[in-house]
């Protein structure tokens, strides 16, 4: 398991000095296979270590909640949304491959349950901020896939007239207050929204999604501290897919279980299976209840896995096909489909839902592709608010 | 007319707006119980309490980010940066977040945020507590920049900044804090519009365009130049750096034909270069001599008093620049 960068280094060294090559390779292997330092943190074996080990399934989460069983009707609605998000992002990847999408586009294929379970647990008027891997949050929160695709394509029919794009999703009418291109920057924003709710006493909570990699930004810890000190109605939701962009976090983290980070601040935290909507729903419901009761923030670490690349056209040299295949048997759609089938929902019902989503996606792509480019004058508007 | 200090004017603006609008709150370091390092938020904690005058840990990125978030949902936070130099610590939240949000969202969201605090040299605070930042901020569209020189302008502009629907950088100056100026009664409401310059001294020979504490140095220099050399300088106080009031600048240059753009941030690539360039682009025929810039020299601000005074573009350097221009062209 090597990254592109590491491979380059080795190739480079080979041409110059064979001995250095071997030394470097050993050092790199040691780093990659680094076992948790037994003095570093509460120790867990590599097998139990869901935070760092990407060959561990999401179901290996160690400090979970007891999931509430949701009615089939609600689960079917969730399945529909999940399939809608999946197909939207698959279409986006196709559009990217065909050269229609510029810049960086990051899909959340494999992360969907984290968004859907959380959306169902929160209320109208609650706030969401997220990351540049945020299509799934926006759609789960109610953003129209046609507008979303148009936005990513830079068309006038996008919700931000094509000015935001894939990394910058907004739908204030649904509480989507922004996804962000800077890792971790959205987290204090949600804390500010929670502070606003606290000052207004309006009973709303804010949830902020971020990846495992964001935990290592300084402002996260500033925000953890203030949110806990001021008991803000806030939910920190870490979608831990075990890779910060192209680097496995086992290679860079001195903490073995990410949900323990905030315990130093006295904050309640749990590690859950982020690929199971009922588990996510339960954890976020409990966190929201605590937040609304004035008991302060909760940190939820949802163990999940990104089935597609970090961004469109990622070479994915940092992981094996076997690892990805293993994760497919625990991915959100499979988990939910199996659950539904086990609860007497028929395959035909599921097929029907999928067929109706395909229809919707066809219409969404058509809307987006037929949407015109913004008028050139739009380049100069929205710099300042009136 | 009563007279107040610059500090009191700012304090009054915040107090009045907090009484008028519940969405206004203050956040920053030592601003609550202590009343601010420079006592600018003095007594506000007593009236508005810990919920609206929030003492933070020393976490500039975190509390600037929280202020941005609160503003996104309609609050009107006023963030105090203890020294403007600290903007670099939370630069992403100011420039990438606050300044860009309205544009990135295609106008869906606003950030009605005020960032205020003191900047500048003159008190031997050294390189990391004395920088003037107006030129840096002017490079980032989406944020307005105001830098008043008098108590009257400070109160009126701060009220306008708080009511503005955009992020506004409100630049105070440590040399201005204890200066006094005429003010209407505390009960009399007024505002000073953002984006409108004010001619602080009429003159016919040469125009100095400036802002913030440099206005006072320019006025001093102008008096001495008149007395000692009979040179009649007009001093245009921009009051707002972004957006620039070029109309007032051009009117003055039309009258005098000579332009010196003055500010405390570096002359090199500074806002003065922008002003001179715009005059050349928009009305080069007005200039009887080449327009000039005077700003901080390209060095850090030293602690040693004589060295600091050597570098700052204040009275001695202003007089020298004006004399040089007038000797050649008058």
């Amino acid at each position: 398991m090597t990254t592109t960068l590491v491979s380059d280094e080795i190739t480079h060294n080979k041409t110059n000095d064979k001995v250095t090559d071997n030394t470097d390779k050993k050092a790199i292997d040691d780093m990659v296979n680094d076992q948790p330092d037994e003095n570093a943190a509460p120790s867990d074996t590599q097998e139990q270590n869901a935070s760092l080990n990407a060959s561990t399934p999401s179901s290996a989460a160690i400090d979970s909640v007891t999931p509430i069983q949701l009615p089939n009707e609600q689960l079917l609605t969730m399945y529909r949304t999940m399939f809608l998000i999946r197909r939207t992002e698959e279409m986006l990847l196709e559009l990217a491959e065909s050269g229609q999408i510029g810049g960086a586009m990051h899909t959340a294929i494999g992360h969907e349950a984290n968004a859907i379970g959380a959306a169902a647990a929160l209320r109208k008027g609650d706030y969401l901020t997220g990351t540049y891997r945020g299509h799934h949050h926006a759609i789960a929160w109610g953003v129209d896939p046609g507008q979303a695709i148009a936005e990513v394509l830079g068309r006038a029919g996008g919700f931000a007239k094509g000015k935001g794009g894939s990394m910058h999703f907004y739908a204030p009418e649904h509480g989507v207050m922004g996804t962000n291109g800077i890792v971790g920057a959205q987290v204090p924003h949600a804390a500010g929204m929670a502070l606003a709710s606290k000052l207004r006493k309006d009973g709303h909570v804010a949830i902020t999604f971020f990846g495992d990699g964001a935990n290592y930004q300084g402002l996260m810890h500033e925000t953890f501290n203030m949110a806990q000190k001021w008991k803000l109605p806030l939910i920190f939701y870490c979608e831990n897919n075990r890779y910060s962009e192209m680097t496995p976090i086992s290679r860079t983290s001195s903490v073995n279980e990410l949900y323990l980070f905030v315990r130093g601040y006295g904050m309640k935290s749990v590690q859950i299976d982020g690929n199971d909507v009922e588990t996510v729903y339960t954890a976020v419901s409990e966190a929201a209840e605590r937040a609304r009761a004035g008991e302060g923030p909760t940190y939820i670490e949802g163990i999940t896995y990104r089935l597609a690349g970090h961004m469109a056209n990622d070479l994915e040299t940092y992981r094996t096909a076997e690892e990805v295949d293993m994760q497919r048997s625990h991915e959100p759609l499979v988990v939910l489909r199996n659950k539904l089938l086990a609860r007497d929902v028929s395959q035909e019902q599921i097929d029907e839902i999928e067929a109706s989503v395909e229809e919707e996606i066809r219409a969404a792509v058509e809307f987006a592709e037929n949407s015109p480019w913004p008028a050139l004058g739009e380049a100069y508007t929205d710099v300042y608010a009136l | 007319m009563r007279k107040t200090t610059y500090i009191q004017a700012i304090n009054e603006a915040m107090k009045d707006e907090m009484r008028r609008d519940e969405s206004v709150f203050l956040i920053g370091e030592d601003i609550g119980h202590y009343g601010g390092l420079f006592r600018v938020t003095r007594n506000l904690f007593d009236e508005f309490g810990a919920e609206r005058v929030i003492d933070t840990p020393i976490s500039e990125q975190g509390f600037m980010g929280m202020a941005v978030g609160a503003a996104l949902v309609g609050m009107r936070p006023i963030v105090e940066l203890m020294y403007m130099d600290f903007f670099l610590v939370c630069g992403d939240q100011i420039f990438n977040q606050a300044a860009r949000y309205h544009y990135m969202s295609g106008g869906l969201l606003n950030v009605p945020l005020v960032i205020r605090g003191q900047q500048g040299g003159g008190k031997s605070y050294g390189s990391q507590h004395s920088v003037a930042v107006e030129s840096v901020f002017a490079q980032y569209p989406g944020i307005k920049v105001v830098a008043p020189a008098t108590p009257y302008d400070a109160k009126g502009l701060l009220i306008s900044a708080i009511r503005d629907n955009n992020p506004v950088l409100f630049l105070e100056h440590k040399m201005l804090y204890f200066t006094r100026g005429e003010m209407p009664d505390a009960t009399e409401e007024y505002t000073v519009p953002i984006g409108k310059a004010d001619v602080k001294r009429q003159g016919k020979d040469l125009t100095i365009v400036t802002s913030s504490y440099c206005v006072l140095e320019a006025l001093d220099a102008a008096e001495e130049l008149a007395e000692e050399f009979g040179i009649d300088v007009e001093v245009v106080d921009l009051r707002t750096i972004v957006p620039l009031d070029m109309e007032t600048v051009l009117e003055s240059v039309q009258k005098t034909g000579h332009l010196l753009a003055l500010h405390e941030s570096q002359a090199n690539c500074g806002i003065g270069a922008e002003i001179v360039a715009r005059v050349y682009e928009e009305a080069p025929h007005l200039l009887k001599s080449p327009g000039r810039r005077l700003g901080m020299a390209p060095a850090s601000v030293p602690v040693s008093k004589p060295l600091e005074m050597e570098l700052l573009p204040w009275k001695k350097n202003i007089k020298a620049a004006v004399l040089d221009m007038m000797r050649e062209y008058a």
Side-chain angles (χ1 to χ4, degrees):
Chain A
M1 194 163 61
T2 55
T3 66
T4 316
L5 177 67
V6 170
S7 310
D8 287 350
E9 276 171 9
I10 292 169
T11 317
H12 175 71
N13 285 334
K14 257 182 193 159
T15 58
N16 297 319
D17 186 342
K18 192 84 182 165
V19 179
T20 317
D21 166 16
N22 291 337
T23 315
D24 280 0
K25 187 159 186 348
K26 185 178 181 315
I28 290 156
D29 286 346
D30 285 351
M31 269 202 316
V32 172
N33 301 323
D34 196 14
Q35 296 295 316
D37 177 350
E38 59 186 31
N39 298 321
S43 75
D44 301 287
T45 65
Q46 190 79 337
E47 199 166 310
Q48 286 173 309
N49 190 325
S51 270
L52 302 192
N53 187 354
S55 55
T56 304
S58 58
S59 53
I62 56 171
D63 185 51
S64 203
V65 295
T66 310
I68 297 166
Q69 193 167 325
L70 295 169
N72 280 358
E73 199 181 332
Q74 189 174 4
L75 287 179
L76 282 167
T77 308
M78 287 176 157
Y79 186 80
R80 190 182 193 286
T81 309
M82 194 183 284
F83 195 67
L84 182 68
I85 293 169
R86 178 67 59 88
R87 292 295 296 130
T88 302
E89 292 208 298
E90 285 173 349
M91 288 313 298
L92 285 170
L93 282 175
E94 277 183 36
L95 290 164
E97 248 168 61
S98 74
Q100 290 195 66
I101 296 171
M105 185 185 73
H106 315 81
T107 63
I109 292 174
H111 285 228
E112 297 90 342
N114 297 279
I116 292 164
L122 296 173
R123 296 180 192 160
K124 191 166 175 52
D126 292 341
Y127 301 114
L128 155 78
T129 69
T131 75
Y132 51 71
R133 195 179 311 291
H135 303 155
H136 58 321
H137 304 128
I139 296 172
W141 255 254
V143 168
D144 170 64
Q147 277 204 337
I149 297 169
E151 183 61 32
V152 177
L153 291 173
R155 302 300 176 89
F159 46 76
K161 299 176 275 188
K163 293 182 182 182
S166 169
M167 295 197 274
H168 307 288
F169 268 40
Y170 311 92
E173 73 277 21
H174 296 299
V176 180
M177 305 310 289
T179 62
N180 214 294
I182 305 295
V183 172
Q186 76 284 1
V187 171
H189 296 172
M193 292 163 197
L195 177 67
S197 286
K198 193 181 175 196
L199 295 179
R200 289 167 168 162
K201 301 177 175 59
D202 61 14
H204 294 316
V205 306
I207 187 167
T208 181
F209 288 94
F210 50 93
D212 39 275
N215 289 287
Y216 306 89
Q217 290 274 38
L219 90 169
M220 297 291 293
H221 294 265
E222 299 181 12
T223 310
F224 293 152
N225 175 60
M226 285 186 276
Q228 178 65 20
K229 182 69 184 171
W230 299 336
K231 296 257 187 292
L232 298 183
L234 177 62
I235 302 165
F236 294 97
Y237 196 110
C238 173
E239 283 176 52
N240 179 5
N241 64 25
R242 280 73 70 84
Y243 290 93
S244 55
E245 307 196 0
M246 290 78 165
T247 300
I249 54 169
S250 58
R251 195 178 291 173
T252 55
S253 182
S254 62
V255 170
N256 292 329
E257 299 292 352
L258 303 192
Y259 74 106
L260 298 177
F261 256 132
V262 299
R263 298 273 175 101
Y265 300 99
M267 196 187 302
K268 183 171 172 54
S269 66
V270 287
Q271 184 186 65
I272 62 165
D273 178 356
N275 285 359
D276 174 42
V277 284
E278 288 182 318
T279 303
V280 174
Y281 174 87
T282 306
V284 175
S285 297
E286 288 176 6
E289 202 173 310
R290 292 186 66 249
R292 287 190 225 279
E295 291 166 29
T298 305
Y299 180 106
I300 300 170
E301 179 190 1
I303 301 296
T304 191
Y305 192 79
R306 162 167 62 66
L307 292 168
H310 165 65
M311 73 283 174
N313 305 317
D314 182 356
L315 299 174
E316 295 186 62
T317 50
Y318 47 83
R319 61 184 182 182
T320 61
E322 291 74 37
E323 180 186 298
V324 181
D325 280 345
M326 188 283 292
Q327 293 285 358
R328 282 189 198 284
S329 55
H330 298 276
E331 67 116 318
L333 274 176
V334 170
V335 171
L336 184 49
R337 199 184 292 135
N338 288 344
K339 194 184 294 243
L340 285 165
L341 292 171
R343 292 186 197 167
D344 301 329
V345 168
S346 68
Q347 183 62 47
E348 288 70 35
Q349 275 175 284
I350 292 172
D351 291 346
E352 236 170 72
I353 287 173
E354 293 190 357
S356 90
V357 167
E358 294 295 350
E359 279 297 303
E360 188 177 342
I361 289 294
R362 251 193 301 280
V365 173
E366 199 180 309
F367 165 81
E369 287 190 319
N370 290 334
S371 174
W373 293 107
L376 292 184
E378 280 295 346
Y380 306 99
T381 65
D382 304 321
V383 178
Y384 291 96
L386 296 176
Chain B
M1 279 279 192
R2 63 186 177 126
K3 279 196 162 189
T4 73
T5 62
Y6 191 90
I7 285 178
Q8 193 183 336
I10 294 167
N11 182 282
E12 277 181 17
M14 291 191 284
K15 186 171 62 189
D16 290 357
E17 287 302 284
M18 289 178 82
R19 284 177 180 170
R20 196 186 62 82
D21 181 353
E22 282 200 341
S23 65
V24 180
F25 71 95
L26 313 184
I27 186 164
E29 293 152 352
D30 301 326
I31 64 168
H33 285 92
Y34 190 75
L37 180 65
F38 292 91
R39 316 292 286 149
V40 180
T41 54
R42 197 176 168 188
N43 296 329
L44 298 180
F45 183 87
D46 299 335
E47 178 169 350
F48 301 103
E51 286 211 326
R52 291 182 71 196
V53 186
I54 303 173
D55 274 324
T56 68
I58 302 169
S59 302
E60 283 93 1
Q61 289 190 76
F63 67 72
M64 188 64 76
M66 288 177 66
V68 172
L72 281 168
V73 297
M75 300 296 283
R76 292 185 177 272
I78 303 173
V79 179
E80 176 173 308
L81 280 182
M82 188 183 277
Y83 290 82
M84 253 324 138
D85 311 65
F86 305 165
F87 84 96
L88 289 164
V89 180
C90 47
D92 178 66
Q93 288 298 332
I94 298 171
F95 298 117
N96 256 334
Q97 309 298 329
R100 303 205 192 283
Y101 231 94
H102 186 67
Y103 191 88
M104 292 191 299
S105 67
L108 289 174
L109 291 161
N110 299 338
V111 185
L113 164 72
V114 174
I115 302 165
R116 54 152 290 273
Q118 53 78 36
Q119 67 166 3
K123 296 268 188 189
S124 291
Y125 277 98
S127 293
Q128 297 174 340
H129 289 70
S130 303
V131 79
V133 305
E134 64 272 5
S135 296
V136 175
F137 276 77
Q139 272 286 323
Y140 283 81
I143 186 161
K144 296 181 180 179
V145 181
V146 300
T150 66
Y152 178 88
D153 288 344
K155 182 174 178 182
L157 272 167
L158 183 51
I159 291 171
S160 295
I162 294 166
R163 295 179 188 179
D164 200 282
N165 287 325
N166 296 282
V168 180
L169 179 73
F170 187 88
L171 293 174
E172 299 154 20
H173 197 293
K174 50 174 79 66
M175 297 293 289
L176 288 172
Y177 271 162
F178 298 99
T179 59
R180 300 174 76 83
E182 288 194 341
M183 293 277 280
D185 283 345
T187 51
E188 192 179 316
E189 274 193 47
Y190 75 96
T191 60
V192 171
I194 292 175
K196 192 82 198 86
D198 180 43
V199 178
K200 287 287 195 289
R201 183 185 196 279
Q202 299 280 344
K204 60 180 185 350
D205 295 332
L206 179 143
T207 299
I208 294 179
V209 177
T210 188
S211 66
S212 187
Y213 177 63
C214 279
V215 171
L216 269 55
E217 291 285 334
L219 288 170
D220 253 11
E223 288 310 313
E224 291 185 16
L225 285 161
E227 203 170 299
E228 296 164 19
F229 304 95
I231 298 170
D232 190 12
V233 172
E234 177 145 307
V235 178
V236 176
D237 177 5
L238 287 169
R239 300 195 291 193
T240 301
I241 312 293
V242 179
L244 269 178
D245 177 6
M246 283 307 292
E247 203 181 320
T248 303
V249 173
L250 289 168
E251 268 170 30
S252 177
V253 176
Q254 182 158 31
K255 188 161 72 170
T256 65
H258 300 277
L259 169 66
L260 177 67
L262 165 71
H263 49 78
E264 205 177 301
S265 54
Q266 272 198 40
N268 181 31
C269 302
I271 191 69
E274 176 64 20
I275 291 164
V276 173
R278 284 212 210 170
V279 171
Y280 274 111
E281 283 173 353
E282 292 170 30
H285 58 280
L286 299 181
L287 289 167
K288 295 176 198 153
S289 72
R292 288 211 198 173
R293 299 159 293 158
L294 180 63
M296 172 73 187
S300 288
V301 181
V303 164
S304 172
K305 197 78 179 171
L307 298 185
E308 187 178 28
M309 289 304 144
E310 170 66 19
L311 295 174
L312 288 167
W314 289 357
K315 188 170 72 181
K316 185 186 75 166
N317 291 326
I318 296 167
K319 283 176 71 179
V322 170
L323 286 173
D324 197 38
M325 288 174 76
M326 298 315 281
R327 201 171 289 130
E328 266 182 76
Y329 296 97

